Amino acid sequence: MNFARRTAQASSDLLLPQLTALMAYHRQACPAYARVLEATGHPRTRRYQQLAELPWLPVRLFKEHALVSTAADPVTTLTSSGTTGAGASRIALDREAAERQRHMLIATLVNLVGPQRLPLLIIDAPSAVRQQRATIRGATVLGVMNIGRDPVFALDEDLEVNAVAIDHFLQRHAGSDFLIFGFTFLVWSRFYSYVRSRAADLSHAVLLHTGGWKKLADQAVTAEVFRGGFREHTGLTRCHNFYGMVEQGGTIHVESASGDGLYCPDHADVIIRDPLTWQEAAIGTLGVIEVLSTTPRAHPGHILLTEDLGMLLGVDDGEWPGKRFAVAGRLPKAEPRGCSDTLAQGVVS
Amino acid sequence: MSLAIRLRNVFNTVLELDGKTTDADLRYQETPGWDSLGAVLLISAMEDEFHVQIGTNQALQIDTFDAAVKLLRGLGVQDQTPCP
């Protein structure tokens, strides 16, 4: 599948008017956001020529303040899965915003895997969707379930391998395409060890995984080791990491099958900024990741400066058109709060 | 049995409906239980009951009972005639 379809310039040309209009919408709908814009040199009258000129909010704001752009009753408040709660973002969603996120996530995944719902093996416990739906972990599992059929959970409630479930799933779907989804740390620490020991054939699988790499990096498991291990021992070649965050739900940046970087979906973009000058960092230079998305409607999360370090790897020169980038980890002072970091701590300690 | 009755049985089971709600009142995000998880479970149950495959985008269009009936008819599901 050709996941990213536009060149970087075409994408930017398309997104600039949409994001400018969205800024105006949030300025109207969220007085606190309007005050931030006024105070940072972005009055109503200002015009923009490039995405990089648009004002961003630091994601940390959503941990400290309730920024809301909807008068409707929130249907849910999504939190990042921080264990303490102190460092968690709380994002209010009304029904329309929640549906919009769901549709954007599904459209992105359909671009990647096609319109047919394939059998789905979820590397998580069944309670991930039943009890954790208000966390980004549960919401992500549930979101991915929309593109799968006959979902099977590969782990038990203690997050240990459910060998019977996995074996039965692989037998049942042997020889035809199927999906595997899970958080990166669980996929590696639970599922990979098991399928490797069983010499399972995953050559028909598409693996989607997400979440931080911190715990794996501590074990010297890099993206290359991860992909190479699956390829060599299970025959799995279609492996896609994706990057997203609760403050911009429904927007995920997806790694190409060849692993040459993360690519933005149709409705989003990314800018890497030099932390000293805040100018756009050159290709190959480490900086702070800014994410832009036309999805957020119930909170002003459309342009965010993340607490993640990253690097632009290239522009219109990879497997797909558009920018390709890599995430290099958290900013040194940032608290860990991502799904897999939290899971990792919970599981390992 | 008519398609609508079989489908309603699927809805009743998956969404744990009491049967008092009319078919016309069943709506995604309004009927209790028919939330994003309910929607995923409902699609799977419909596939099992009617032996059809529903695509991702088709599934997204099912937001009322009537929409589900129309989709199933579009996929070739017919009312079952009783055996003589």
Side-chain angles (χ1 to χ4, degrees), chain A residues 8 26 29 35 38 46 60 88 114 133 148 168 206 218 250 255 325 330 339:
Chain A
H26 286 297
R35 287 196 292 277
E38 288 294 331
R46 183 162 167 180
R60 183 165 289 273
R133 292 172 60 192
H168 185 246
V206 178
D218 292 347
E255 180 187 42
F325 69 103
R330 310 283 298 162
C339 302

Side-chain angles (χ1 to χ4, degrees), chain A residues 95 99 115 117 133 149, chain B residues 28-29 35 47 53-54 56:
Chain A
R95 186 174 291 178
E99 271 308 285
R117 290 167 43 252
R133 292 172 60 192
R149 74 172 68 246
Chain B
Y28 175 61
Q29 295 288 23
D35 53 13
E47 289 184 324
Q53 293 214 342
I54 298 172
T56 305

Side-chain angles (χ1 to χ4, degrees), chain B residues 9-21:
Chain B
N9 287 339
V10 171
F11 270 69
N12 286 351
T13 305
V14 174
L15 305 181
E16 299 178 9
L17 300 175
D18 56 13
K20 288 178 189 161
T21 317

Side-chain angles (χ1 to χ4, degrees), chain A residues 29-68:
Chain A
C30 179
Y33 178 64
R35 287 196 292 277
V36 171
L37 293 184
E38 288 294 331
T40 53
H42 294 275
R44 231 170 263 275
T45 48
R46 183 162 167 180
R47 295 291 173 265
Y48 301 91
Q49 305 300 318
Q50 295 184 58
L51 289 180
E53 297 168 12
L54 298 173
W56 69 79
L57 295 183
V59 282
R60 183 165 289 273
L61 270 189
F62 291 92
K63 293 179 187 173
E64 293 159 359
H65 303 278
L67 294 171
V68 179

